[in-house]
Amino acid sequence: AVGEVLIVKPDYREGWLVPGGVVDEDESPLHGAIREVREETGLDVSTLELVGIYYAHKKGVFADSLKFIFYGGVLGDEQVAMIVLQKSELEEFTFKPIVSAIPLLTSGLQHCMLPCLKAIEHKTVAYIE
């Protein structure tokens, strides 16, 4: 529904995520996002809109990185009915109102969500550190 966000529960870490992942070698951020959404949800989203760029500092074994955040629009009932989770990584999915979803997300996503929602509203791109 409008005003809700699709979140997924991974089986390999605490917290909820939005569909996404890491690009493959020689894959652009946009094509990686389209592929990851397809792999994780079974949905083909050919039009994604860049709404955020998040600079993440080095954390443990992970080097510092840039994360590109895309918006896929509002899903219709037909698309929601077609969601099939990637069983090798995800336990469940749900749609939650923004205020209910944010506390469930990983800390990095919690930090990104509001600036990205404002960017969607204002048709711009948020830069987040």
mmCIF file with all atom_site columns, all heavy atoms in Angstrom, residues 17-45:
data_model
loop_
_atom_site.group_PDB
_atom_site.id
_atom_site.type_symbol
_atom_site.label_atom_id
_atom_site.label_alt_id
_atom_site.label_comp_id
_atom_site.label_asym_id
_atom_site.label_entity_id
_atom_site.label_seq_id
_atom_site.pdbx_PDB_ins_code
_atom_site.Cartn_x
_atom_site.Cartn_y
_atom_site.Cartn_z
_atom_site.occupancy
_atom_site.B_iso_or_equiv
_atom_site.pdbx_formal_charge
_atom_site.auth_seq_id
_atom_site.auth_comp_id
_atom_site.auth_asym_id
_atom_site.auth_atom_id
_atom_site.pdbx_PDB_model_num
ATOM 1   N N   . LEU A 1 17 ? 15.992 -5.967  6.179   1.00 0.00 ? 17 LEU A N   1
ATOM 2   C CA  . LEU A 1 17 ? 16.622 -5.215  5.098   1.00 0.00 ? 17 LEU A CA  1
ATOM 3   C C   . LEU A 1 17 ? 15.567 -4.840  4.064   1.00 0.00 ? 17 LEU A C   1
ATOM 4   O O   . LEU A 1 17 ? 14.444 -5.338  4.114   1.00 0.00 ? 17 LEU A O   1
ATOM 5   C CB  . LEU A 1 17 ? 17.690 -6.081  4.409   1.00 0.00 ? 17 LEU A CB  1
ATOM 6   C CG  . LEU A 1 17 ? 18.817 -6.626  5.266   1.00 0.00 ? 17 LEU A CG  1
ATOM 7   C CD1 . LEU A 1 17 ? 19.629 -7.665  4.490   1.00 0.00 ? 17 LEU A CD1 1
ATOM 8   C CD2 . LEU A 1 17 ? 19.717 -5.497  5.738   1.00 0.00 ? 17 LEU A CD2 1
ATOM 9   N N   . VAL A 1 18 ? 15.945 -4.013  3.127   1.00 0.00 ? 18 VAL A N   1
ATOM 10  C CA  . VAL A 1 18 ? 15.156 -3.845  1.915   1.00 0.00 ? 18 VAL A CA  1
ATOM 11  C C   . VAL A 1 18 ? 15.837 -4.726  0.869   1.00 0.00 ? 18 VAL A C   1
ATOM 12  O O   . VAL A 1 18 ? 17.013 -5.059  1.016   1.00 0.00 ? 18 VAL A O   1
ATOM 13  C CB  . VAL A 1 18 ? 15.099 -2.362  1.468   1.00 0.00 ? 18 VAL A CB  1
ATOM 14  C CG1 . VAL A 1 18 ? 14.306 -1.534  2.473   1.00 0.00 ? 18 VAL A CG1 1
ATOM 15  C CG2 . VAL A 1 18 ? 16.468 -1.784  1.258   1.00 0.00 ? 18 VAL A CG2 1
ATOM 16  N N   . PRO A 1 19 ? 15.121 -5.161  -0.167  1.00 0.00 ? 19 PRO A N   1
ATOM 17  C CA  . PRO A 1 19 ? 15.776 -5.997  -1.185  1.00 0.00 ? 19 PRO A CA  1
ATOM 18  C C   . PRO A 1 19 ? 17.001 -5.287  -1.754  1.00 0.00 ? 19 PRO A C   1
ATOM 19  O O   . PRO A 1 19 ? 16.981 -4.077  -2.000  1.00 0.00 ? 19 PRO A O   1
ATOM 20  C CB  . PRO A 1 19 ? 14.689 -6.171  -2.250  1.00 0.00 ? 19 PRO A CB  1
ATOM 21  C CG  . PRO A 1 19 ? 13.405 -6.031  -1.490  1.00 0.00 ? 19 PRO A CG  1
ATOM 22  C CD  . PRO A 1 19 ? 13.691 -4.983  -0.447  1.00 0.00 ? 19 PRO A CD  1
ATOM 23  N N   . GLY A 1 20 ? 18.073 -6.034  -1.948  1.00 0.00 ? 20 GLY A N   1
ATOM 24  C CA  . GLY A 1 20 ? 19.302 -5.446  -2.479  1.00 0.00 ? 20 GLY A CA  1
ATOM 25  C C   . GLY A 1 20 ? 20.475 -6.366  -2.263  1.00 0.00 ? 20 GLY A C   1
ATOM 26  O O   . GLY A 1 20 ? 20.312 -7.511  -1.867  1.00 0.00 ? 20 GLY A O   1
ATOM 27  N N   . GLY A 1 21 ? 21.657 -5.860  -2.531  1.00 0.00 ? 21 GLY A N   1
ATOM 28  C CA  . GLY A 1 21 ? 22.847 -6.686  -2.351  1.00 0.00 ? 21 GLY A CA  1
ATOM 29  C C   . GLY A 1 21 ? 24.059 -6.033  -2.963  1.00 0.00 ? 21 GLY A C   1
ATOM 30  O O   . GLY A 1 21 ? 24.114 -4.815  -3.149  1.00 0.00 ? 21 GLY A O   1
ATOM 31  N N   . VAL A 1 22 ? 25.020 -6.875  -3.316  1.00 0.00 ? 22 VAL A N   1
ATOM 32  C CA  . VAL A 1 22 ? 26.318 -6.431  -3.804  1.00 0.00 ? 22 VAL A CA  1
ATOM 33  C C   . VAL A 1 22 ? 26.387 -6.672  -5.313  1.00 0.00 ? 22 VAL A C   1
ATOM 34  O O   . VAL A 1 22 ? 25.921 -7.705  -5.803  1.00 0.00 ? 22 VAL A O   1
ATOM 35  C CB  . VAL A 1 22 ? 27.441 -7.218  -3.081  1.00 0.00 ? 22 VAL A CB  1
ATOM 36  C CG1 . VAL A 1 22 ? 28.807 -6.829  -3.602  1.00 0.00 ? 22 VAL A CG1 1
ATOM 37  C CG2 . VAL A 1 22 ? 27.356 -6.985  -1.582  1.00 0.00 ? 22 VAL A CG2 1
ATOM 38  N N   . VAL A 1 23 ? 26.991 -5.722  -6.030  1.00 0.00 ? 23 VAL A N   1
ATOM 39  C CA  . VAL A 1 23 ? 27.140 -5.893  -7.477  1.00 0.00 ? 23 VAL A CA  1
ATOM 40  C C   . VAL A 1 23 ? 28.162 -6.977  -7.780  1.00 0.00 ? 23 VAL A C   1
ATOM 41  O O   . VAL A 1 23 ? 29.075 -7.242  -7.001  1.00 0.00 ? 23 VAL A O   1
ATOM 42  C CB  . VAL A 1 23 ? 27.554 -4.578  -8.183  1.00 0.00 ? 23 VAL A CB  1
ATOM 43  C CG1 . VAL A 1 23 ? 26.471 -3.535  -8.081  1.00 0.00 ? 23 VAL A CG1 1
ATOM 44  C CG2 . VAL A 1 23 ? 28.863 -4.053  -7.663  1.00 0.00 ? 23 VAL A CG2 1
ATOM 45  N N   . ASP A 1 24 ? 27.977 -7.614  -8.927  1.00 0.00 ? 24 ASP A N   1
ATOM 46  C CA  . ASP A 1 24 ? 28.953 -8.574  -9.445  1.00 0.00 ? 24 ASP A CA  1
ATOM 47  C C   . ASP A 1 24 ? 30.042 -7.806  -10.188 1.00 0.00 ? 24 ASP A C   1
ATOM 48  O O   . ASP A 1 24 ? 29.886 -6.614  -10.488 1.00 0.00 ? 24 ASP A O   1
ATOM 49  C CB  . ASP A 1 24 ? 28.273 -9.560  -10.410 1.00 0.00 ? 24 ASP A CB  1
ATOM 50  C CG  . ASP A 1 24 ? 27.327 -10.515 -9.693  1.00 0.00 ? 24 ASP A CG  1
ATOM 51  O OD1 . ASP A 1 24 ? 27.507 -10.758 -8.481  1.00 0.00 ? 24 ASP A OD1 1
ATOM 52  O OD2 . ASP A 1 24 ? 26.405 -11.024 -10.360 1.00 0.00 ? 24 ASP A OD2 1
ATOM 53  N N   . GLU A 1 25 ? 31.129 -8.494  -10.515 1.00 0.00 ? 25 GLU A N   1
ATOM 54  C CA  . GLU A 1 25 ? 32.202 -7.869  -11.271 1.00 0.00 ? 25 GLU A CA  1
ATOM 55  C C   . GLU A 1 25 ? 31.657 -7.365  -12.611 1.00 0.00 ? 25 GLU A C   1
ATOM 56  O O   . GLU A 1 25 ? 30.861 -8.056  -13.263 1.00 0.00 ? 25 GLU A O   1
ATOM 57  C CB  . GLU A 1 25 ? 33.325 -8.890  -11.512 1.00 0.00 ? 25 GLU A CB  1
ATOM 58  C CG  . GLU A 1 25 ? 34.563 -8.283  -12.101 1.00 0.00 ? 25 GLU A CG  1
ATOM 59  C CD  . GLU A 1 25 ? 35.714 -9.269  -12.181 1.00 0.00 ? 25 GLU A CD  1
ATOM 60  O OE1 . GLU A 1 25 ? 35.736 -10.242 -11.413 1.00 0.00 ? 25 GLU A OE1 1
ATOM 61  O OE2 . GLU A 1 25 ? 36.589 -9.048  -13.029 1.00 0.00 ? 25 GLU A OE2 1
ATOM 62  N N   . ASP A 1 26 ? 32.059 -6.167  -13.010 1.00 0.00 ? 26 ASP A N   1
ATOM 63  C CA  . ASP A 1 26 ? 31.625 -5.535  -14.265 1.00 0.00 ? 26 ASP A CA  1
ATOM 64  C C   . ASP A 1 26 ? 30.113 -5.312  -14.334 1.00 0.00 ? 26 ASP A C   1
ATOM 65  O O   . ASP A 1 26 ? 29.524 -5.344  -15.415 1.00 0.00 ? 26 ASP A O   1
ATOM 66  C CB  . ASP A 1 26 ? 32.077 -6.357  -15.487 1.00 0.00 ? 26 ASP A CB  1
ATOM 67  C CG  . ASP A 1 26 ? 33.592 -6.336  -15.650 1.00 0.00 ? 26 ASP A CG  1
ATOM 68  O OD1 . ASP A 1 26 ? 34.206 -5.290  -15.342 1.00 0.00 ? 26 ASP A OD1 1
ATOM 69  O OD2 . ASP A 1 26 ? 34.154 -7.355  -16.072 1.00 0.00 ? 26 ASP A OD2 1
ATOM 70  N N   . GLU A 1 27 ? 29.475 -5.084  -13.189 1.00 0.00 ? 27 GLU A N   1
ATOM 71  C CA  . GLU A 1 27 ? 28.034 -4.832  -13.152 1.00 0.00 ? 27 GLU A CA  1
ATOM 72  C C   . GLU A 1 27 ? 27.809 -3.447  -12.552 1.00 0.00 ? 27 GLU A C   1
ATOM 73  O O   . GLU A 1 27 ? 28.382 -3.117  -11.521 1.00 0.00 ? 27 GLU A O   1
ATOM 74  C CB  . GLU A 1 27 ? 27.346 -5.902  -12.291 1.00 0.00 ? 27 GLU A CB  1
ATOM 75  C CG  . GLU A 1 27 ? 25.848 -5.775  -12.229 1.00 0.00 ? 27 GLU A CG  1
ATOM 76  C CD  . GLU A 1 27 ? 25.212 -6.899  -11.417 1.00 0.00 ? 27 GLU A CD  1
ATOM 77  O OE1 . GLU A 1 27 ? 25.670 -7.151  -10.279 1.00 0.00 ? 27 GLU A OE1 1
ATOM 78  O OE2 . GLU A 1 27 ? 24.262 -7.509  -11.926 1.00 0.00 ? 27 GLU A OE2 1
ATOM 79  N N   . SER A 1 28 ? 26.986 -2.651  -13.178 1.00 0.00 ? 28 SER A N   1
ATOM 80  C CA  . SER A 1 28 ? 26.710 -1.307  -12.666 1.00 0.00 ? 28 SER A CA  1
ATOM 81  C C   . SER A 1 28 ? 25.812 -1.385  -11.434 1.00 0.00 ? 28 SER A C   1
ATOM 82  O O   . SER A 1 28 ? 25.122 -2.385  -11.226 1.00 0.00 ? 28 SER A O   1
ATOM 83  C CB  . SER A 1 28 ? 26.016 -0.464  -13.745 1.00 0.00 ? 28 SER A CB  1
ATOM 84  O OG  . SER A 1 28 ? 24.665 -0.878  -13.894 1.00 0.00 ? 28 SER A OG  1
ATOM 85  N N   . PRO A 1 29 ? 25.788 -0.331  -10.604 1.00 0.00 ? 29 PRO A N   1
ATOM 86  C CA  . PRO A 1 29 ? 24.881 -0.325  -9.455  1.00 0.00 ? 29 PRO A CA  1
ATOM 87  C C   . PRO A 1 29 ? 23.418 -0.529  -9.865  1.00 0.00 ? 29 PRO A C   1
ATOM 88  O O   . PRO A 1 29 ? 22.690 -1.276  -9.214  1.00 0.00 ? 29 PRO A O   1
ATOM 89  C CB  . PRO A 1 29 ? 25.107 1.058   -8.832  1.00 0.00 ? 29 PRO A CB  1
ATOM 90  C CG  . PRO A 1 29 ? 26.527 1.382   -9.177  1.00 0.00 ? 29 PRO A CG  1
ATOM 91  C CD  . PRO A 1 29 ? 26.700 0.830   -10.575 1.00 0.00 ? 29 PRO A CD  1
ATOM 92  N N   . LEU A 1 30 ? 22.992 0.104   -10.950 1.00 0.00 ? 30 LEU A N   1
ATOM 93  C CA  . LEU A 1 30 ? 21.602 -0.041  -11.396 1.00 0.00 ? 30 LEU A CA  1
ATOM 94  C C   . LEU A 1 30 ? 21.296 -1.486  -11.801 1.00 0.00 ? 30 LEU A C   1
ATOM 95  O O   . LEU A 1 30 ? 20.302 -2.065  -11.354 1.00 0.00 ? 30 LEU A O   1
ATOM 96  C CB  . LEU A 1 30 ? 21.301 0.903   -12.561 1.00 0.00 ? 30 LEU A CB  1
ATOM 97  C CG  . LEU A 1 30 ? 19.911 0.766   -13.179 1.00 0.00 ? 30 LEU A CG  1
ATOM 98  C CD1 . LEU A 1 30 ? 18.822 1.063   -12.145 1.00 0.00 ? 30 LEU A CD1 1
ATOM 99  C CD2 . LEU A 1 30 ? 19.767 1.671   -14.387 1.00 0.00 ? 30 LEU A CD2 1
ATOM 100 N N   . HIS A 1 31 ? 22.143 -2.068  -12.636 1.00 0.00 ? 31 HIS A N   1
ATOM 101 C CA  . HIS A 1 31 ? 21.895 -3.454  -13.064 1.00 0.00 ? 31 HIS A CA  1
ATOM 102 C C   . HIS A 1 31 ? 22.013 -4.427  -11.897 1.00 0.00 ? 31 HIS A C   1
ATOM 103 O O   . HIS A 1 31 ? 21.283 -5.419  -11.839 1.00 0.00 ? 31 HIS A O   1
ATOM 104 C CB  . HIS A 1 31 ? 22.813 -3.831  -14.223 1.00 0.00 ? 31 HIS A CB  1
ATOM 105 C CG  . HIS A 1 31 ? 22.415 -3.164  -15.501 1.00 0.00 ? 31 HIS A CG  1
ATOM 106 N ND1 . HIS A 1 31 ? 23.050 -2.050  -15.995 1.00 0.00 ? 31 HIS A ND1 1
ATOM 107 C CD2 . HIS A 1 31 ? 21.394 -3.425  -16.356 1.00 0.00 ? 31 HIS A CD2 1
ATOM 108 C CE1 . HIS A 1 31 ? 22.458 -1.664  -17.100 1.00 0.00 ? 31 HIS A CE1 1
ATOM 109 N NE2 . HIS A 1 31 ? 21.455 -2.475  -17.351 1.00 0.00 ? 31 HIS A NE2 1
ATOM 110 N N   . GLY A 1 32 ? 22.902 -4.148  -10.957 1.00 0.00 ? 32 GLY A N   1
ATOM 111 C CA  . GLY A 1 32 ? 23.002 -4.983  -9.759  1.00 0.00 ? 32 GLY A CA  1
ATOM 112 C C   . GLY A 1 32 ? 21.733 -4.924  -8.934  1.00 0.00 ? 32 GLY A C   1
ATOM 113 O O   . GLY A 1 32 ? 21.247 -5.942  -8.433  1.00 0.00 ? 32 GLY A O   1
ATOM 114 N N   . ALA A 1 33 ? 21.162 -3.724  -8.797  1.00 0.00 ? 33 ALA A N   1
ATOM 115 C CA  . ALA A 1 33 ? 19.921 -3.572  -8.030  1.00 0.00 ? 33 ALA A CA  1
ATOM 116 C C   . ALA A 1 33 ? 18.768 -4.313  -8.705  1.00 0.00 ? 33 ALA A C   1
ATOM 117 O O   . ALA A 1 33 ? 17.994 -5.013  -8.042  1.00 0.00 ? 33 ALA A O   1
ATOM 118 C CB  . ALA A 1 33 ? 19.587 -2.090  -7.864  1.00 0.00 ? 33 ALA A CB  1
ATOM 119 N N   . ILE A 1 34 ? 18.654 -4.179  -10.021 1.00 0.00 ? 34 ILE A N   1
ATOM 120 C CA  . ILE A 1 34 ? 17.592 -4.886  -10.758 1.00 0.00 ? 34 ILE A CA  1
ATOM 121 C C   . ILE A 1 34 ? 17.745 -6.397  -10.579 1.00 0.00 ? 34 ILE A C   1
ATOM 122 O O   . ILE A 1 34 ? 16.765 -7.102  -10.316 1.00 0.00 ? 34 ILE A O   1
ATOM 123 C CB  . ILE A 1 34 ? 17.620 -4.487  -12.251 1.00 0.00 ? 34 ILE A CB  1
ATOM 124 C CG1 . ILE A 1 34 ? 17.190 -3.022  -12.404 1.00 0.00 ? 34 ILE A CG1 1
ATOM 125 C CG2 . ILE A 1 34 ? 16.737 -5.417  -13.087 1.00 0.00 ? 34 ILE A CG2 1
ATOM 126 C CD1 . ILE A 1 34 ? 17.434 -2.437  -13.787 1.00 0.00 ? 34 ILE A CD1 1
ATOM 127 N N   . ARG A 1 35 ? 18.983 -6.905  -10.714 1.00 0.00 ? 35 ARG A N   1
ATOM 128 C CA  . ARG A 1 35 ? 19.241 -8.343  -10.548 1.00 0.00 ? 35 ARG A CA  1
ATOM 129 C C   . ARG A 1 35 ? 18.932 -8.806  -9.131  1.00 0.00 ? 35 ARG A C   1
ATOM 130 O O   . ARG A 1 35 ? 18.279 -9.832  -8.925  1.00 0.00 ? 35 ARG A O   1
ATOM 131 C CB  . ARG A 1 35 ? 20.707 -8.662  -10.898 1.00 0.00 ? 35 ARG A CB  1
ATOM 132 C CG  . ARG A 1 35 ? 21.071 -10.137 -10.675 1.00 0.00 ? 35 ARG A CG  1
ATOM 133 C CD  . ARG A 1 35 ? 22.554 -10.394 -10.893 1.00 0.00 ? 35 ARG A CD  1
ATOM 134 N NE  . ARG A 1 35 ? 23.420 -9.498  -10.142 1.00 0.00 ? 35 ARG A NE  1
ATOM 135 C CZ  . ARG A 1 35 ? 23.672 -9.595  -8.825  1.00 0.00 ? 35 ARG A CZ  1
ATOM 136 N NH1 . ARG A 1 35 ? 23.100 -10.538 -8.092  1.00 0.00 ? 35 ARG A NH1 1
ATOM 137 N NH2 . ARG A 1 35 ? 24.483 -8.733  -8.237  1.00 0.00 ? 35 ARG A NH2 1
ATOM 138 N N   . GLU A 1 36 ? 19.382 -8.052  -8.140  1.00 0.00 ? 36 GLU A N   1
ATOM 139 C CA  . GLU A 1 36 ? 19.163 -8.451  -6.745  1.00 0.00 ? 36 GLU A CA  1
ATOM 140 C C   . GLU A 1 36 ? 17.672 -8.486  -6.408  1.00 0.00 ? 36 GLU A C   1
ATOM 141 O O   . GLU A 1 36 ? 17.211 -9.395  -5.721  1.00 0.00 ? 36 GLU A O   1
ATOM 142 C CB  . GLU A 1 36 ? 19.909 -7.520  -5.787  1.00 0.00 ? 36 GLU A CB  1
ATOM 143 C CG  . GLU A 1 36 ? 21.404 -7.766  -5.722  1.00 0.00 ? 36 GLU A CG  1
ATOM 144 C CD  . GLU A 1 36 ? 21.787 -9.006  -4.940  1.00 0.00 ? 36 GLU A CD  1
ATOM 145 O OE1 . GLU A 1 36 ? 20.937 -9.620  -4.262  1.00 0.00 ? 36 GLU A OE1 1
ATOM 146 O OE2 . GLU A 1 36 ? 22.977 -9.381  -5.002  1.00 0.00 ? 36 GLU A OE2 1
ATOM 147 N N   . VAL A 1 37 ? 16.909 -7.496  -6.865  1.00 0.00 ? 37 VAL A N   1
ATOM 148 C CA  . VAL A 1 37 ? 15.463 -7.497  -6.612  1.00 0.00 ? 37 VAL A CA  1
ATOM 149 C C   . VAL A 1 37 ? 14.834 -8.744  -7.243  1.00 0.00 ? 37 VAL A C   1
ATOM 150 O O   . VAL A 1 37 ? 14.005 -9.413  -6.637  1.00 0.00 ? 37 VAL A O   1
ATOM 151 C CB  . VAL A 1 37 ? 14.797 -6.203  -7.123  1.00 0.00 ? 37 VAL A CB  1
ATOM 152 C CG1 . VAL A 1 37 ? 13.274 -6.329  -7.117  1.00 0.00 ? 37 VAL A CG1 1
ATOM 153 C CG2 . VAL A 1 37 ? 15.234 -5.021  -6.269  1.00 0.00 ? 37 VAL A CG2 1
ATOM 154 N N   . ARG A 1 38 ? 15.251 -9.077  -8.474  1.00 0.00 ? 38 ARG A N   1
ATOM 155 C CA  . ARG A 1 38 ? 14.719 -10.266 -9.154  1.00 0.00 ? 38 ARG A CA  1
ATOM 156 C C   . ARG A 1 38 ? 15.077 -11.539 -8.379  1.00 0.00 ? 38 ARG A C   1
ATOM 157 O O   . ARG A 1 38 ? 14.228 -12.396 -8.158  1.00 0.00 ? 38 ARG A O   1
ATOM 158 C CB  . ARG A 1 38 ? 15.230 -10.350 -10.584 1.00 0.00 ? 38 ARG A CB  1
ATOM 159 C CG  . ARG A 1 38 ? 14.589 -11.486 -11.380 1.00 0.00 ? 38 ARG A CG  1
ATOM 160 C CD  . ARG A 1 38 ? 15.077 -11.612 -12.820 1.00 0.00 ? 38 ARG A CD  1
ATOM 161 N NE  . ARG A 1 38 ? 15.338 -10.352 -13.500 1.00 0.00 ? 38 ARG A NE  1
ATOM 162 C CZ  . ARG A 1 38 ? 16.563 -9.882  -13.775 1.00 0.00 ? 38 ARG A CZ  1
ATOM 163 N NH1 . ARG A 1 38 ? 17.645 -10.551 -13.427 1.00 0.00 ? 38 ARG A NH1 1
ATOM 164 N NH2 . ARG A 1 38 ? 16.713 -8.730  -14.402 1.00 0.00 ? 38 ARG A NH2 1
ATOM 165 N N   . GLU A 1 39 ? 16.349 -11.653 -7.961  1.00 0.00 ? 39 GLU A N   1
ATOM 166 C CA  . GLU A 1 39 ? 16.786 -12.848 -7.236  1.00 0.00 ? 39 GLU A CA  1
ATOM 167 C C   . GLU A 1 39 ? 16.077 -12.986 -5.892  1.00 0.00 ? 39 GLU A C   1
ATOM 168 O O   . GLU A 1 39 ? 15.688 -14.080 -5.505  1.00 0.00 ? 39 GLU A O   1
ATOM 169 C CB  . GLU A 1 39 ? 18.304 -12.812 -7.007  1.00 0.00 ? 39 GLU A CB  1
ATOM 170 C CG  . GLU A 1 39 ? 19.116 -13.046 -8.251  1.00 0.00 ? 39 GLU A CG  1
ATOM 171 C CD  . GLU A 1 39 ? 20.621 -12.887 -8.022  1.00 0.00 ? 39 GLU A CD  1
ATOM 172 O OE1 . GLU A 1 39 ? 21.054 -12.623 -6.867  1.00 0.00 ? 39 GLU A OE1 1
ATOM 173 O OE2 . GLU A 1 39 ? 21.357 -13.022 -8.996  1.00 0.00 ? 39 GLU A OE2 1
ATOM 174 N N   . GLU A 1 40 ? 15.936 -11.874 -5.174  1.00 0.00 ? 40 GLU A N   1
ATOM 175 C CA  . GLU A 1 40 ? 15.400 -11.938 -3.808  1.00 0.00 ? 40 GLU A CA  1
ATOM 176 C C   . GLU A 1 40 ? 13.883 -11.999 -3.745  1.00 0.00 ? 40 GLU A C   1
ATOM 177 O O   . GLU A 1 40 ? 13.336 -12.554 -2.798  1.00 0.00 ? 40 GLU A O   1
ATOM 178 C CB  . GLU A 1 40 ? 15.908 -10.747 -2.988  1.00 0.00 ? 40 GLU A CB  1
ATOM 179 C CG  . GLU A 1 40 ? 17.396 -10.830 -2.721  1.00 0.00 ? 40 GLU A CG  1
ATOM 180 C CD  . GLU A 1 40 ? 17.889 -9.767  -1.768  1.00 0.00 ? 40 GLU A CD  1
ATOM 181 O OE1 . GLU A 1 40 ? 17.122 -8.862  -1.382  1.00 0.00 ? 40 GLU A OE1 1
ATOM 182 O OE2 . GLU A 1 40 ? 19.072 -9.844  -1.395  1.00 0.00 ? 40 GLU A OE2 1
ATOM 183 N N   . THR A 1 41 ? 13.191 -11.407 -4.738  1.00 0.00 ? 41 THR A N   1
ATOM 184 C CA  . THR A 1 41 ? 11.728 -11.325 -4.660  1.00 0.00 ? 41 THR A CA  1
ATOM 185 C C   . THR A 1 41 ? 11.005 -11.949 -5.850  1.00 0.00 ? 41 THR A C   1
ATOM 186 O O   . THR A 1 41 ? 9.787  -12.116 -5.806  1.00 0.00 ? 41 THR A O   1
ATOM 187 C CB  . THR A 1 41 ? 11.261 -9.854  -4.571  1.00 0.00 ? 41 THR A CB  1
ATOM 188 O OG1 . THR A 1 41 ? 11.572 -9.186  -5.800  1.00 0.00 ? 41 THR A OG1 1
ATOM 189 C CG2 . THR A 1 41 ? 11.910 -9.146  -3.388  1.00 0.00 ? 41 THR A CG2 1
ATOM 190 N N   . GLY A 1 42 ? 11.735 -12.238 -6.914  1.00 0.00 ? 42 GLY A N   1
ATOM 191 C CA  . GLY A 1 42 ? 11.105 -12.742 -8.124  1.00 0.00 ? 42 GLY A CA  1
ATOM 192 C C   . GLY A 1 42 ? 10.486 -11.650 -8.977  1.00 0.00 ? 42 GLY A C   1
ATOM 193 O O   . GLY A 1 42 ? 9.919  -11.936 -10.027 1.00 0.00 ? 42 GLY A O   1
ATOM 194 N N   . LEU A 1 43 ? 10.590 -10.397 -8.568  1.00 0.00 ? 43 LEU A N   1
ATOM 195 C CA  . LEU A 1 43 ? 9.979  -9.292  -9.306  1.00 0.00 ? 43 LEU A CA  1
ATOM 196 C C   . LEU A 1 43 ? 10.952 -8.713  -10.329 1.00 0.00 ? 43 LEU A C   1
ATOM 197 O O   . LEU A 1 43 ? 12.132 -8.529  -10.036 1.00 0.00 ? 43 LEU A O   1
ATOM 198 C CB  . LEU A 1 43 ? 9.543  -8.174  -8.356  1.00 0.00 ? 43 LEU A CB  1
ATOM 199 C CG  . LEU A 1 43 ? 8.459  -8.526  -7.347  1.00 0.00 ? 43 LEU A CG  1
ATOM 200 C CD1 . LEU A 1 43 ? 8.225  -7.359  -6.397  1.00 0.00 ? 43 LEU A CD1 1
ATOM 201 C CD2 . LEU A 1 43 ? 7.168  -8.907  -8.063  1.00 0.00 ? 43 LEU A CD2 1
ATOM 202 N N   . ASP A 1 44 ? 10.434 -8.431  -11.523 1.00 0.00 ? 44 ASP A N   1
ATOM 203 C CA  . ASP A 1 44 ? 11.223 -7.746  -12.545 1.00 0.00 ? 44 ASP A CA  1
ATOM 204 C C   . ASP A 1 44 ? 10.900 -6.261  -12.472 1.00 0.00 ? 44 ASP A C   1
ATOM 205 O O   . ASP A 1 44 ? 9.797  -5.855  -12.820 1.00 0.00 ? 44 ASP A O   1
ATOM 206 C CB  . ASP A 1 44 ? 10.893 -8.285  -13.938 1.00 0.00 ? 44 ASP A CB  1
ATOM 207 C CG  . ASP A 1 44 ? 11.618 -9.587  -14.217 1.00 0.00 ? 44 ASP A CG  1
ATOM 208 O OD1 . ASP A 1 44 ? 12.830 -9.652  -13.940 1.00 0.00 ? 44 ASP A OD1 1
ATOM 209 O OD2 . ASP A 1 44 ? 10.966 -10.531 -14.703 1.00 0.00 ? 44 ASP A OD2 1
ATOM 210 N N   . VAL A 1 45 ? 11.848 -5.505  -11.978 1.00 0.00 ? 45 VAL A N   1
ATOM 211 C CA  . VAL A 1 45 ? 11.678 -4.054  -11.920 1.00 0.00 ? 45 VAL A CA  1
ATOM 212 C C   . VAL A 1 45 ? 12.700 -3.440  -12.868 1.00 0.00 ? 45 VAL A C   1
ATOM 213 O O   . VAL A 1 45 ? 13.874 -3.422  -12.583 1.00 0.00 ? 45 VAL A O   1
ATOM 214 C CB  . VAL A 1 45 ? 11.850 -3.501  -10.477 1.00 0.00 ? 45 VAL A CB  1
ATOM 215 C CG1 . VAL A 1 45 ? 10.695 -3.900  -9.604  1.00 0.00 ? 45 VAL A CG1 1
ATOM 216 C CG2 . VAL A 1 45 ? 13.150 -3.959  -9.858  1.00 0.00 ? 45 VAL A CG2 1
#
